[in-house]
């Protein structure tokens, strides 16, 4: 057989490794060329001793001076492939493939010892008994394997990430390292085989091992005789075929029977039908090592020198080795598979406890009794029946609720139900609202509450007969009896002081200190407001908005403006006593935009001129919010303050702050004070604002430290938003600021809102995360709530749940619409309950889990040292996975890392949270940045945290220019960047265009209108508008990415090897970070070690 032909991948077989000292990370630089000597830190695809690879025709070899690869006694840094290599198909995200993995033929000379028998199988897809339930990823990193051990039950159709028809995944084994492995030198690591139906074995040519995993014998134990047989046609021992996509996995690879001896000389073994000269196949990225196809293939390099049971040779250092990153679970592949499997069909919500498609999948929702996942997503859709079971699993039971989420145009907004003066029908005991799960009895004259089981009378005006199934005959005519989400018009009983509210008001409060004027901010803002005020949110098809507006400017004192429509010119009134704030005018301060258009325009023209020569640098802050709140109170309405602020408020006034920025506190027990507000005055102020229904949106334009942690308190507690534009310059930042402002002013907001989450007996809401205030343990109070904000709710057991009846949640939001109408929005969701842990793990959603864990951790840093918070996250993740391993996975050796199918991305995503700026800041991250991100994540939805923690990296020149679809993403690692390509990276806040140094001149010309790479301006934020297909495509893609996010992402062009590249690399989250965060590969090793400690 010709070994140079393209061949399917070979599973590596683990070899004993030396004990490794530290826990280091391999290098991220360029790959060493052919002549590079072995270094302390290996490149990604560095050479691996033990197997001789043959070269493709025409590829030169490494010079013989490198000498033979050494034996296994010297120490090498951990974190490289010392943890092992993964077999093709070990981690699989989809249906099993027809590609067969094959061990080296026994007939091939491999040094001095006989080889194990080859258990070969024909290259056809074999069903192995019943379908698996969760394709578990098992990884032997350091005596770990990534294998496909199966839990026993059949899968629910459509659940999990892979398609339900996927066959058992394959398993491979990896070299053992002393740090994590438990097998001594000379012992074989455990070998596992995919588990199918007992007795359903693949066809074999020689006796296979019967058990699914083995206990390896001690060194020198009995050995099996050698058996040999040629490789099957088309099988060899190269890397994977380049064309094989990575959602295709393989039937089980063959395994060595226990005790099979593999010995060899210290140097490289003779190759198959090839010259005896050392060297490795040259890969496309220039490094030497086992060949592997480009991403998304799951390739598999070979493990270390073969010394199964043999005496080690003379001590010589090992060349660097590294685990193949393609062989561990890929977020890109999971997302891609979910899109392919679940993006084409609508998600129908009629069935209890269905796991929805991922947030990254575009899908339509059909409401048939449960709320759309756009409104509510849960960490698990199958809740343990008992608290003991929940404690054992450690999977947090939480829901991320987005009550006013915007829907795509193809989906209908919730119906509004008007029950007249009687108001919505509710349970007398628990006050839950009528919903599809209520049970009508006694011919329809009474109903039993599904939350508390209380029996209630049906009012005569609501009575209707039941059909033969016990359902009301008008069920499908009434939204509250057939849909998961709907709205009720509230009666006067639901209003403050028992009177209907007035329409809300917007007050624009503009900092006119020296910094704001000098930067051009005030002039830019006033110019924009002239046109923006015509776009205030309006109800339904109303011709004009009911919202009234007012204006205040401030520095050390406050200026109020009378813009009454009868005036020829606006009038200014100054309040200089900031310690005792009052509103100097009522009539003429809050006005209808259309009536006072001329006066408002005149005022906006005058403000930049009035303060043009100001020398006032000091500002106040708390009195400004106080003034806005007092104005709303005097007008007896709710509303929103838009504050535009530039500097630390150091002027003498309530809420005065001092500069307390101190980087020396990082990594100390006092670090938490950096996230806490300086003074309690802002909490008190926020409480008053909430009582008045006064929401605060803050736009910050700092040139230096402004104590975001303190300034954010009022926006955070009133349900507002914070926007930050550091070192604002009109020419660079105006597009981002104006876009955010327009969106913020125009978005639909619910004012003066109260939200309560009710649950059926057995669980209750115990904890809440988000931007809101709580004065008691049940009511979430929001002065304002928009369509981007979420409230995350954690549930705990207070009784045993019933598997038959399941568990119910009802979220009720009482709010005032932008037209001044009082409404109730109701969302209902039914979940399954389980007595088997396997059912819990089969119905989890990792993205929601990470959203909850990030919020939990980000709140934790307020009261605990950051290290404590990080350790707690790692421990919880290890407990979740250890519980699965112990209770749900089929028995296998301790050297295997087994992950549940729908949680296989938990380690990579959790590592991204641990490496985030809040929990592990780099030297360039300011205290204000950390406080800003912390409050931002607190109210993010699941889609936002998903892309924020694991950014999207899109190659731009790989897909055809005429293609209008988004190019497929690649994994967020420097290894994926090709210097001949251009990439877009986005995380919801940042947008980078990375340009490789070897990109074609034509591409540079088409995109940047310059003739060479060196002429591209680094840091460029606007692409030139050029009339060619590539320019149109890239600009179109940038616009489309921005349209998907709630904040405008400013573009930054980054050239390879440029100083800005450090900032860009910060977002390549699978790599080791400069601030000390582990790479994905290393973190997986670390998690495995933690899990093994828990299990032992």
């Amino acid at each position: 057989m010709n070994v140079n032909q393209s061949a399917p991948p070979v599973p590596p077989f683990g070899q004993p490794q030396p004990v490794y000292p530290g826990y280091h990370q391999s290098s991220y630089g360029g790959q060493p060329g052919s002549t590079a000597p072995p270094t302390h830190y290996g490149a990604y695809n560095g050479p691996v001793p033990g197997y001789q690879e043959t070269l493709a025709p025409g590829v030169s070899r490494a010079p013989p001076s490198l000498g033979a690869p050494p034996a296994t006694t010297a120490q090498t840094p951990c974190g490289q492939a010392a943890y092992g290599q993964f077999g093709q198909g070990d981690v699989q995200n989809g249906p099993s493939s027809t590609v067969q993995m094959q061990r080296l033929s026994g007939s091939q000379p491999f040094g001095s010892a006989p080889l194990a028998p080859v258990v070969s199988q024909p290259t056809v897809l074999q069903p192995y008994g019943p379908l698996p339930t969760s394709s578990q990823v098992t990884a032997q990193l350091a005596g770990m394997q990534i294998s496909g051990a199966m839990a026993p039950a059949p899968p629910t159709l459509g659940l999990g990430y892979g398609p339900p028809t996927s066959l058992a995944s394959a398993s491979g084994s990896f070299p053992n390292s002393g740090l994590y492995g438990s097998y001594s030198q000379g012992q074989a690591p455990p070998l596992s085989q995919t588990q199918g139906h007992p007795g359903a074995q693949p066809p074999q040519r020689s006796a296979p091992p019967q058990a699914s995993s083995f206990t390896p014998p001690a060194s020198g134990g009995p050995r099996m005789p050698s058996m040999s047989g040629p490789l099957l046609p088309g099988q060899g021992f190269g890397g994977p075929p380049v064309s094989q996509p990575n959602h295709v996995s393989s039937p089980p690879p063959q395994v060595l029977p226990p005790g099979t001896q593999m010995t060899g000389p210290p140097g490289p073994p003779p190759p198959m039908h090839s010259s005896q000269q050392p060297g490795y196949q040259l890969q496309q990225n220039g490094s030497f090592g086992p060949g592997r196809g480009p991403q998304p293939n799951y390739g598999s390099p070979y493990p270390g020198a073969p010394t199964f049971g043999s005496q080690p040779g003379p001590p010589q250092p090992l060349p660097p080795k590294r685990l193949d990153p393609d062989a561990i679970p890929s977020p890109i592949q999971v997302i891609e598979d979910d899109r392919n499997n679940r993006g084409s069909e609508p998600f129908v919500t009629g069935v209890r406890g269905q796991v929805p498609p991922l947030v990254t999948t575009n899908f339509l929702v059909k409401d048939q009794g449960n709320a759309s996942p756009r409104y509510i997503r849960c960490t698990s859709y199958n809740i343990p029946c008992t608290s003991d079971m929940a404690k054992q699993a450690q999977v947090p039971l939480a829901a991320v609720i987005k009550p006013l989420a915007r829907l795509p145009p193809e989906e209908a907004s919730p119906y509004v139900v008007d029950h007249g003066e009687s108001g919505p029908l509710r349970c007398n005991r628990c006050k839950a609202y009528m919903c599809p799960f209520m049970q009508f009895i006694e011919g329809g004259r009474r109903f039993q509450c599904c939350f508390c089981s209380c029996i209630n009378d049906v009012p005569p005006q609501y009575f209707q007969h039941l059909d033969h199934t016990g359902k009301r005959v008008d069920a499908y005519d009434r939204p509250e009896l057939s849909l998961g989400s709907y709205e009720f018009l509230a009666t006067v009983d639901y209003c403050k002081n028992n009177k209907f509210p007035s329409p809300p008001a917007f007050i624009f409060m503009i900092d006119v200190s020296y910094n704001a004027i000098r930067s051009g901010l005030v002039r830019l803002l006033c110019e924009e407001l002239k046109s923006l005020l015509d776009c205030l949110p309006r109800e339904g098809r109303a011709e004009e908005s009911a919202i009234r507006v007012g204006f205040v400017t401030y520095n050390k004192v406050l200026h109020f403006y009378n813009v009454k429509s009868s005036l020829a010119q606006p009038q200014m009134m100054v309040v200089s006593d900031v310690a005792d704030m009052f509103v100097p005018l009522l009539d003429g301060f809050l006005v209808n935009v259309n009536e006072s258009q001329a006066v408002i325009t005149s005022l906006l023209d005058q403000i930049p001129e009035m303060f043009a020569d100001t020398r006032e640098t000091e500002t106040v802050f708390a009195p400004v919010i106080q003034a806005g709140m007092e104005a709303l109170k005097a007008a007896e309405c709710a509303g929103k303050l838009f504050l535009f602020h530039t500097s630390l408020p150091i002027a003498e006034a309530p809420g005065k702050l001092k500069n307390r920025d101190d980087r020396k506190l990082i990594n100390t027990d006092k670090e938490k004070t950096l996230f806490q507000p300086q003074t309690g005055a802002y909490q008190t102020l926020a409480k008053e604002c909430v009582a008045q229904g006064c929401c605060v949106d803050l736009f910050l334009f700092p040139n230096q430290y402004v104590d975001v942690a303190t300034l954010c308190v009022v926006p955070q507690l009133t349900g507002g938003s914070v926007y930050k534009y550091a070192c604002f310059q009109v020419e660079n930042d105006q597009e981002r600021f104006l876009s955010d402002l327009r969106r913020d002013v125009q978005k639909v907001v619910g004012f003066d809102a109260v939200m309560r989450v009710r649950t059926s007996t057995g669980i209750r809401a115990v904890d809440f995360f988000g931007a809101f205030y709580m004065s008691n343990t049940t009511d979430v109070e929001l002065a304002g709530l928009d369509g981007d904000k979420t409230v995350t709710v954690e549930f705990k057991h207070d009784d045993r749940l019933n598997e038959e009846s399941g568990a119910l949640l009802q979220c009720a939001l009482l709010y005032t619409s932008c037209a001044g109408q009082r409404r109730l929005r109701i969302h209902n969701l039914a979940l399954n309950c389980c007595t088997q842990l396997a059912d819990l793990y089969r119905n989890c959603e990792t993205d929601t889990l990470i959203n909850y864990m990030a919020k939990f951790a980000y709140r934790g840093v307020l009261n605990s040292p950051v290290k404590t918070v990080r350790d707690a996250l790692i421990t919880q993740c290890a407990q979740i996975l250890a519980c699965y391993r112990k209770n749900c996975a089929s028995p296998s050796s301790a050297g295997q890392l087994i992950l549940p199918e729908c949680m296989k991305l938990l380690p990579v995503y959790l590592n991204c949270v641990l490496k985030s700026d809040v929990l592990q800041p780099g030297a360039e991250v300011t205290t204000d940045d950390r406080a800003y991100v912390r409050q931002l994540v607190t109210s993010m939805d699941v889609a936002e945290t998903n892309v924020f923690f694991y950014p999207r990296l899109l190659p731009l020149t790989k897909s055809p220019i005429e293609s209008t679809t988004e190019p497929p993403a690649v994994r967020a690692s420097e290894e994926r960047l090709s210097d001949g390509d251009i990439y877009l990276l986005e995380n919801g806040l940042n947008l980078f265009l990375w340009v490789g140094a070897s990109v074609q001149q034509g591409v540079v010309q088409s995109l940047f209108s310059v003739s060479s790479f060196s002429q591209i301006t680094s840091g460029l934020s606007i692409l030139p508008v050029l009339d060619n297909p590539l320019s149109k495509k890239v600009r179109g893609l940038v616009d489309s990415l921005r349209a998907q996010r709630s904040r405008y992402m400013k573009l930054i062009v980054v050239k390879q090897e440029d100083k800005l590249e450090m900032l860009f690399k910060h977002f390549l989250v699978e790599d080791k970070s400069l601030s000390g965060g582990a790479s994905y590969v290393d973190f997986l090793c670390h998690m495995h070690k933690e899990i093994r400690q828990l299990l032992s």
Side-chain angles (χ1 to χ4, degrees):
M1 171 191 167
N2 173 13
V3 288
N4 286 329
Q5 76 182 68
S6 167
V10 182
F13 280 75
Q15 319 295 344
Q17 295 289 337
V19 174
Y20 292 108
Y23 181 70
H24 304 296
Q25 172 61 33
S26 42
S27 80
Y28 287 92
Q31 316 294 359
S34 57
T35 54
T39 54
H40 184 63
Y41 286 86
Y44 269 168
N45 307 311
V48 183
Y51 285 84
Q52 175 62 44
E53 280 257 64
T54 51
L55 290 167
V59 177
S60 61
R61 292 182 174 279
S65 62
L66 282 175
T72 56
T73 48
Q75 296 180 339
T76 46
C78 276
Q80 295 156 28
Y83 302 122
Q85 281 80 17
F86 291 66
Q88 158 72 16
D90 301 335
V91 184
Q92 55 109 352
N93 299 321
S96 298
S97 95
T98 56
V99 182
Q100 174 62 39
M101 289 180 159
Q102 187 65 27
R103 182 117 178 81
L104 280 173
S105 158
S107 62
Q108 178 58 36
F110 199 80
S112 58
L115 259 185
V118 175
V119 185
S120 50
Q121 302 160 355
T123 52
V124 291
L125 192 61
Q126 293 288 342
Y128 304 131
L131 291 176
T133 55
S134 57
S135 153
Q136 301 149 348
V137 182
T138 73
Q140 175 158 348
L141 302 142
M144 285 163 44
Q145 295 162 318
I146 283 205
S147 100
M150 293 302 140
T156 317
L157 188 65
L159 298 189
Y161 283 141
T165 53
S166 59
L167 296 175
S169 73
S171 81
S173 53
F174 308 90
N176 181 20
S177 92
L179 225 179
Y180 303 114
S182 54
Y183 305 100
S184 61
Q185 187 90 354
Q187 267 189 303
L191 298 155
S192 106
Q193 172 176 323
T194 302
Q195 311 189 346
H197 194 280
Q201 288 292 348
Q204 286 128 7
R205 290 178 64 208
S206 54
Q210 291 304 306
S212 56
S213 61
F214 303 94
T215 310
S219 177
R223 298 205 160 63
M224 300 271 289
S226 151
M227 292 171 68
S228 68
L231 285 163
L232 288 179
Q235 291 177 330
F237 64 108
V242 172
S243 62
Q244 184 194 350
N246 95 347
H247 60 275
V248 177
S249 79
S250 309
Q254 294 65 49
V255 289
L256 281 163
T260 302
Q261 183 186 12
M262 267 183 74
T263 56
M272 245 182 180
H273 314 306
S274 177
S275 62
Q276 302 267 333
Q277 187 183 349
Y280 289 89
Q281 190 171 328
L282 182 63
Q283 295 177 26
Q284 73 264 43
N285 60 5
S287 69
F288 280 85
R292 82 183 161 77
Q295 196 257 354
N297 297 355
Y298 288 164
S300 56
Y302 298 108
T307 54
F308 263 80
S310 68
Q311 294 305 311
Q316 292 166 329
L318 269 176
K321 307 187 325 173
R322 195 181 190 283
L323 174 70
D324 178 12
D326 268 342
I328 49 185
S330 157
I332 303 305
Q333 200 55 54
V334 169
I335 288 168
E336 197 54 42
D337 290 342
D338 192 75
R339 282 180 182 158
N340 294 337
N341 296 328
R342 307 196 64 186
S344 52
E345 294 294 309
F347 178 70
V348 181
T349 70
V351 182
R352 182 176 83 185
Q354 276 187 109
V355 181
L358 299 184
V359 284
T360 43
T361 300
N362 276 329
F363 60 98
L364 273 180
V365 179
K366 286 191 176 168
D367 185 341
Q368 290 190 0
N370 283 295
S372 160
R374 302 191 206 289
Y375 295 123
I376 306 182
R377 277 187 178 264
C378 296
T379 52
S380 178
Y381 289 80
N382 208 330
I383 296 183
C385 281
T386 64
S387 58
D388 290 347
M389 203 171 143
K391 281 192 193 106
Q392 190 183 354
Q394 287 285 314
V395 176
L397 305 175
V400 179
I401 306 174
K402 198 175 180 184
L404 297 179
R406 283 186 306 279
L407 301 180
E410 310 86 270
E411 292 175 27
S413 296
Y415 288 97
V416 180
V417 180
D418 186 358
H419 282 314
E421 286 182 17
S422 60
L425 187 56
R426 304 175 71 176
C427 169
N428 291 329
R429 184 196 288 163
C430 70
K431 302 298 179 200
Y433 293 87
M434 180 52 69
C435 72
F437 311 121
M438 298 288 191
Q439 190 67 47
F440 286 88
I441 53 174
E442 295 180 22
R445 285 186 294 278
R446 292 179 146 191
F447 71 92
Q448 183 168 21
C449 175
C450 51
F451 293 94
C452 69
S453 303
C454 172
I455 292 176
N456 300 268
D457 289 329
V458 174
Q461 72 273 17
Y462 198 77
F463 173 78
Q464 186 53 269
H465 295 286
L466 309 184
D467 65 13
H468 64 286
T469 63
K471 216 172 179 170
R472 281 174 57 124
V473 295
D474 65 348
Y476 292 106
D477 302 329
R478 289 187 176 271
E480 73 273 23
L481 298 182
S482 56
L483 298 176
S485 302
Y486 42 88
E487 289 199 324
F488 291 119
L489 282 188
T491 57
V492 74
D493 306 336
Y494 292 87
C495 304
K496 265 187 193 164
N497 309 325
N498 274 9
K499 68 180 204 187
F500 284 112
S502 308
F506 283 178
I507 304 177
F508 296 90
M509 317 190 87
I510 306 167
D511 175 347
V512 288
S513 64
Y514 176 71
N515 279 345
I517 296 291
R518 190 195 60 183
S519 68
L521 168 65
V522 174
R523 189 173 295 279
L524 179 71
L525 174 60
C526 290
E527 203 52 49
E528 178 62 28
L529 285 177
K530 290 180 201 170
S531 56
L532 188 53
L533 293 177
D534 294 332
C535 307
L536 299 177
R538 62 195 73 184
E539 193 74 60
R541 296 189 180 85
E543 283 186 19
E544 63 174 62
S545 174
I547 293 172
R548 291 170 296 161
V549 298
F551 300 90
V552 173
T553 56
Y554 67 95
N555 38 45
K556 268 168 53 170
V557 297
L558 276 74
H559 324 106
F560 292 78
Y561 296 93
N562 183 345
V563 283
K564 199 173 178 180
S565 56
S566 56
L567 295 174
Q569 285 293 318
Q571 296 171 347
M572 178 164 96
M573 300 185 183
V574 181
V575 177
S576 52
D577 183 6
V578 288
D580 184 20
M581 186 44 65
F582 68 98
V583 181
L585 77 161
L586 288 180
D587 190 32
F589 179 63
L590 294 178
V591 296
N592 177 294
V593 174
N594 286 2
E595 290 170 11
S596 298
Q597 184 101 44
V599 193
I600 291 172
T601 303
S602 172
L603 170 67
L604 294 171
D605 283 335
Q606 289 176 38
I607 287 174
E609 307 307 328
M610 273 192 287
F611 300 99
D613 301 325
T614 184
R615 286 284 169 269
E616 185 55 74
T617 55
E618 293 188 357
T619 57
V620 295
F621 188 72
V624 184
I625 296 174
Q626 180 86 35
M629 183 197 63
E630 297 290 352
L632 293 176
K633 191 184 276 184
E636 295 185 345
C637 70
K640 185 184 269 198
L641 312 182
F642 294 85
L643 238 83
F644 304 90
H645 189 80
T646 60
S647 55
L648 191 69
I650 54 171
E652 278 306 326
K656 174 186 174 181
L657 301 178
K658 61 179 190 291
N659 187 336
R660 55 164 187 162
D661 189 16
D662 187 359
R663 293 193 62 84
K664 291 198 286 292
L665 296 181
I666 292 177
N667 294 326
T668 69
D669 284 352
K670 289 187 177 170
E671 183 173 4
K672 60 188 177 210
T673 59
L674 298 175
F675 296 110
Q676 296 165 353
Q678 263 188 60
T679 157
Y682 286 95
Q683 266 111 331
T684 311
L685 181 56
K687 190 176 168 183
E688 292 172 28
C689 286
V690 172
Q692 185 46 51
C694 168
C695 173
V696 179
D697 279 1
L698 175 60
F699 292 80
L700 282 172
F701 306 87
N703 291 335
Q704 53 198 13
Y705 177 77
V706 290
D707 198 350
V708 171
T710 306
L711 299 189
C712 280
V713 167
V714 179
Q716 178 79 5
L717 292 176
T718 59
S721 305
V722 181
Y723 299 85
K724 180 165 162 283
Y725 310 89
C727 303
F728 178 81
Q729 293 175 305
V730 168
E731 56 276 15
N732 291 338
D733 301 296
Q734 77 170 43
E735 196 179 350
R736 179 173 156 231
F737 162 55
L738 294 180
S739 176
D740 285 343
L741 176 64
R742 286 169 195 144
R743 202 168 177 285
D744 197 57
V745 168
Q746 292 172 28
K747 65 186 170 190
V748 173
V749 180
F751 294 95
D752 207 1
V754 183
M755 181 179 120
R756 184 177 282 198
V757 178
R758 293 179 173 83
T759 54
S760 54
T761 313
I763 53 168
R764 62 193 168 90
V766 292
D767 207 353
F768 300 84
F769 304 83
F772 52 76
Y773 177 75
M774 291 186 81
S775 55
N776 57 37
T777 56
T778 55
D779 293 340
V780 174
E781 298 173 47
L782 302 123
L785 175 68
D786 60 55
D788 298 325
K789 299 279 190 309
T790 64
V791 176
T792 301
V793 186
E794 187 185 4
F795 303 98
K796 289 261 165 76
H797 287 75
D798 55 9
D799 203 349
R800 192 184 169 86
L801 290 166
N802 183 336
E803 224 174 337
E804 261 177 50
S805 52
L808 301 174
L809 317 177
Q810 184 179 78
C811 162
L813 177 78
L814 174 65
Y815 71 99
T816 302
S817 75
C818 52
Q821 202 175 45
R822 202 72 176 146
R823 290 184 175 184
L824 282 152
R825 180 168 287 202
I826 313 294
H827 298 297
N828 303 289
L829 187 63
L831 302 172
N832 287 328
C833 297
C834 58
T835 52
Q836 299 296 319
L837 282 166
D839 291 327
L840 163 70
Y841 283 102
R842 206 180 293 117
N843 292 278
C844 287
E845 204 198 27
T846 301
D847 293 327
T848 312
L849 203 54
I850 288 294
N851 180 286
Y852 165 83
M853 291 171 98
K855 289 172 181 176
F856 187 82
Y858 280 19
R859 186 176 67 183
V861 298
L862 290 172
N863 305 307
S864 308
V866 171
K867 186 182 183 308
T868 309
V869 173
R870 290 166 49 81
D871 291 347
L873 274 182
I874 293 173
T875 304
Q876 182 173 19
C877 181
Q879 283 173 329
I880 290 171
L881 298 176
C883 172
Y884 175 80
R885 171 65 193 266
K886 184 178 173 188
N887 299 290
C888 309
S890 306
S892 53
S893 78
Q896 292 177 311
L897 170 64
I898 304 184
L899 304 171
E901 172 64 28
C902 62
M903 277 191 193
K904 64 186 175 192
L905 298 181
L906 187 61
V908 62
Y909 285 163
L910 184 73
N911 190 35
C912 296
V913 174
L914 294 170
K915 286 159 68 168
S916 62
D917 290 340
V918 173
L919 298 182
Q920 194 159 29
E924 74 296 337
V925 180
T926 67
T927 308
D928 274 349
D929 286 336
R930 296 177 74 197
Y932 175 62
V933 168
R934 195 194 75 79
Q935 63 82 31
L936 211 53
V937 168
T938 306
S939 50
M940 274 186 183
D941 71 7
V942 180
E944 288 172 321
T945 49
N946 173 274
V947 76
F948 178 74
F949 289 116
Y950 192 95
R952 281 205 295 173
L953 184 61
L954 308 171
L956 297 186
T957 57
K958 296 259 168 64
S959 57
I961 282 189
E962 60 280 359
S963 164
T964 51
T965 54
E966 224 168 71
V970 294
R971 293 168 70 166
S973 164
E974 189 178 347
E975 195 195 12
R976 308 291 171 187
L977 300 176
S978 149
D979 58 9
D981 204 351
I982 294 181
Y983 297 82
L984 265 177
L985 182 143
E986 65 118 356
N987 73 340
L989 298 180
N990 309 86
L991 186 61
F992 295 95
L993 185 73
W994 184 88
V995 186
S998 311
V999 78
Q1000 290 174 358
Q1001 189 184 342
V1003 171
V1004 172
Q1005 185 72 48
S1006 299
L1007 266 186
F1008 303 101
S1009 196
V1010 295
S1011 55
S1012 70
F1013 173 79
S1014 58
Q1015 291 175 306
I1016 300 171
T1017 311
S1018 180
L1020 190 72
S1021 59
I1022 296 172
L1023 291 175
V1025 178
L1026 302 172
D1027 188 15
N1028 66 66
L1030 183 63
S1031 176
K1032 286 176 183 169
K1033 176 183 173 174
V1034 173
R1035 284 181 291 111
L1037 183 58
V1038 167
D1039 292 342
S1040 123
L1041 293 178
R1042 284 173 173 159
Q1044 294 168 27
R1045 306 291 168 216
S1046 60
R1047 293 176 180 234
Y1048 183 90
M1049 298 184 291
K1050 178 182 168 184
L1051 180 72
I1052 300 176
V1053 174
V1054 178
K1055 293 163 69 176
Q1056 189 175 3
E1057 306 297 336
D1058 186 79
K1059 60 180 186 294
L1060 271 175
E1061 202 182 23
M1062 298 308 285
L1063 178 62
F1064 172 78
K1065 285 181 181 175
H1066 176 67
F1067 297 98
L1068 300 177
V1069 288
E1070 288 200 19
D1071 299 343
K1072 187 177 184 194
S1073 68
L1074 287 172
S1075 53
S1079 70
Y1080 175 19
V1081 168
D1082 284 357
F1083 185 68
L1084 207 52
C1085 299
H1086 184 66
M1087 280 313 304
H1088 182 239
K1089 178 184 166 195
E1090 295 279 328
I1091 292 164
R1092 287 180 71 164
Q1093 280 176 346
L1094 287 171
L1095 291 174
S1096 61

